[in-house]
Amino acid sequence: MFVVCGEALFDVFATGDTPTGMAMDARVGGSPFNVAVGLARLAQPVSFLSQVSRGFLGERLMRALAAEGVHTATVQRSDAPTTLSLIGLDAKGVPSYSFYGEGCADRLLGDDALAALPAGIQAINFGSYATVVGETAATQRKLVEREQGRALIAYDPNIRLNVEPSLDVWRTQIDWMLPRTQLLKVSDEDLRLVWPGVEPADFAARALAQGAKLVVVTRGGEGATGWTATGRVDVPPVAVQVIDTVGAGDTFQAALLTWLAERDALSAPALAALSKDALGSALGFAARAAAITCSRRGADMPRRAEL
């Protein structure tokens, strides 16, 4: 069983003017939400740990999770509102973003929610803004500490400066997670934000020295690179006609975890023992999954049969 921790929200797109205002298209989303759905679509048992509103938007999020086969017994409910990310275009077609999250449910996860976690958890995935804001961040830290040596900790910082603009906050969180993470996946874009001028190989060496067993840096259209204590593996990008890249990183993470689960490799010793051939296969599988998502509109992640 996987547990994915973090936010569930609505991305709200402005679709044009109406006689009395504007038309909006609201879509379920959030990076951890996408990872949970991605795992479920890849036939992995997964539970989502978050707080979700009892309002009509929260009910829609719950229906979406249930429809995808994501377990929701670990979802805490409250009367707080649902986070909204509003996306519009200016007169020149340039997108602008407005984020409404203060006081919203996904920031208010209390540590009493940890009592609902199922037995037999193999891996727990953390990432994105819920790791650095509100009560949820403190609750997630308690979970990371509690599960050390019991479940694999996977982490993708997935930095969102429109939520938490301070890079120091993100650096502090990454520094705290490094010695507590066994599988670290980070985009080269996030690395450049947090540590400009630091080479991915140098960052990977630092993470491995602090206890990570597998470090993966995704490089968009240039492929991905993985490091273990025994070496480095590069995989090329998968050729695909890109529609958009929404959800690609989340798909990569879900697929990488799936590949490891299918080979009983969700443990620190197993990650450390991965051969270069095995690591190349894992990264290639994840890259193919991400390419499928890129070939479709929005965070439409693949199902297992497509891979």
Side-chain angles (χ1 to χ4, degrees):
M1 169 71 77
F2 287 99
V3 171
V4 177
C5 307
E7 66 269 13
L9 53 80
F10 270 86
D11 290 314
V12 184
F13 299 86
T15 58
D17 290 349
T18 70
T20 56
M22 296 190 71
M24 300 282 187
D25 177 15
R27 303 185 184 187
V28 296
S31 175
F33 179 97
N34 291 339
V35 173
V37 170
L39 283 164
R41 288 189 177 187
L42 292 172
Q44 296 302 309
V46 56
S47 191
F48 188 56
L49 177 64
S50 185
Q51 186 179 113
V52 172
S53 174
R54 294 190 185 96
F56 72 95
L57 292 178
E59 289 299 322
R60 182 65 185 94
L61 289 167
M62 295 297 289
R63 292 197 302 273
L65 290 168
E68 294 289 356
V70 177
H71 297 271
T72 57
T74 51
V75 174
Q76 190 177 68
R77 306 301 299 276
S78 82
D79 293 327
T82 298
T83 295
L84 299 177
S85 175
L86 270 61
I87 305 160
L89 300 177
D90 66 14
K92 296 181 179 179
V94 177
S96 62
Y97 303 89
S98 299
F99 197 86
Y100 299 87
E102 288 294 335
C104 288
D106 56 11
R107 302 183 182 212
L108 302 175
L109 183 71
D111 58 12
D112 54 328
L114 302 184
L117 289 174
I121 298 171
Q122 292 180 285
I124 308 175
N125 189 80
F126 298 87
S128 198
Y129 72 77
T131 63
V132 297
V133 296
E135 188 177 358
T136 297
T139 296
Q140 289 193 8
R141 284 197 173 197
K142 289 180 181 179
L143 180 58
V144 170
E145 294 278 36
R146 190 186 84 176
E147 294 299 322
Q148 289 298 303
R150 297 166 59 180
L152 182 102
I153 302 299
Y155 176 48
D156 175 6
N158 208 352
I159 293 169
R160 294 291 182 262
L161 294 181
N162 61 334
V163 182
E164 174 47 71
S166 171
L167 285 172
D168 285 340
V169 170
W170 290 99
R171 289 189 192 100
T172 298
Q173 174 64 16
I174 294 169
D175 283 340
W176 188 86
M177 285 292 293
L178 283 182
R180 297 169 174 86
T181 297
Q182 291 81 59
L183 192 165
L184 174 66
K185 193 272 281 185
V186 61
S187 70
D188 58 352
E189 181 180 9
D190 281 354
L191 275 184
R192 288 193 296 268
L193 277 174
V194 179
W195 286 288
V198 174
E199 291 296 322
D202 294 333
F203 173 79
R206 175 187 166 198
L208 291 168
Q210 292 193 52
K213 304 305 178 185
L214 171 60
V215 179
V216 177
V217 174
T218 55
R219 297 178 284 116
E222 297 181 8
T225 303
W227 292 264
T228 66
T230 58
R232 164 180 176 162
V233 172
D234 296 283
V235 297
V238 176
V240 66
Q241 183 175 353
V242 176
I243 302 299
D244 66 43
T245 61
V246 177
D250 304 326
T251 302
F252 190 102
Q253 183 79 334
L256 178 59
L257 290 168
T258 294
W259 190 96
L260 294 167
E262 290 179 348
R263 290 156 182 81
D264 295 322
L266 287 173
S267 69
L271 290 182
L274 285 174
S275 68
K276 287 189 174 183
D277 285 346
L279 179 54
S281 295
L283 297 180
F285 179 82
R288 292 194 300 278
I292 291 173
T293 298
C294 290
S295 73
R296 308 198 285 220
R297 181 71 62 196
D300 184 4
M301 290 153 285
R303 300 186 184 277
R304 189 63 183 88
E306 296 179 83
L307 289 158

